[in-house]
Amino acid sequence: MTYDKTNIFAKILRGEIPCNKVYEDDHALAFHDINPQAPIHVLVIPKGDYVSMADFTAHAPDSLVTGFFRAVGEVARSLELEQPGYRILANAGRDAHQEVPHLHIHIFGGKKLGPMLTR
Ligand code: 5GP
């Protein structure tokens, strides 16, 4: 799938639309989801044009892959979610209902999250 530079997260990365920022470094940006599905719902996105996890891990430089995953861990730690626990999730493609075609990891926490998937 070709990367669409007009997607909403690309606009956030370019600073064209605002976000409620949680964390930023050279590799990643994290911000609160506009429509939270849990008391804490943060999105972490890599600073690069990647649609999905498969695209990212196949094409991003090692430094970005490493930096992105370190950022995800850092955000979970900084939100103090390590002890109570949290869930990370990345939707990819139609069956997973991916809405925004820029790789993003959801971090959910702040309550007991229940079973992994609703049936
Ligand atoms: P997906 O279904 O692609 O995994 O999740 C996309 C997520 O992006 C949704 O949870 C949705 O609420 C969030 N989202 C969509 N547009 C915006 C926006 O403009 N700002 C923020 N902060 N989140 C957004």
Side-chain angles (χ1 to χ4, degrees):
M1 186 179 180
T2 314
Y3 185 81
D4 171 10
K5 285 179 180 293
T6 68
N7 78 75
I8 199 88
F9 294 169
K11 290 179 180 174
I12 287 175
L13 272 179
R14 290 195 296 267
E16 292 169 8
I17 64 167
C19 69
N20 188 356
K21 185 162 55 170
V22 171
Y23 176 86
E24 182 170 17
D25 64 20
D26 289 346
H27 306 290
L29 174 68
F31 50 90
H32 290 280
D33 195 291
I34 204 165
N35 182 23
Q37 306 295 311
I40 296 172
H41 183 176
V42 166
L43 302 169
V44 190
I45 65 176
K47 290 188 173 179
D49 296 353
Y50 305 100
V51 176
S52 65
M53 188 66 76
D55 182 21
F56 182 63
T57 53
H59 301 119
D62 290 352
S63 57
L64 182 56
V65 174
T66 303
F68 176 63
F69 282 102
R70 286 199 196 285
V72 173
E74 177 55 31
V75 171
R77 269 191 300 277
S78 70
L79 294 169
E80 300 188 338
L81 290 172
E82 281 293 304
Q83 272 312 310
Y86 60 98
R87 179 170 295 152
I88 65 174
L89 178 152
N91 292 316
R94 184 196 60 201
D95 279 5
H97 208 272
Q98 181 180 7
E99 289 175 5
V100 181
H102 181 114
L103 171 63
H104 49 285
I105 286 188
H106 298 256
I107 300 180
F108 300 104
K111 70 169 190 177
K112 291 193 191 310
L113 293 166
M116 192 161 58
L117 291 175
T118 52
R119 294 168 201 276

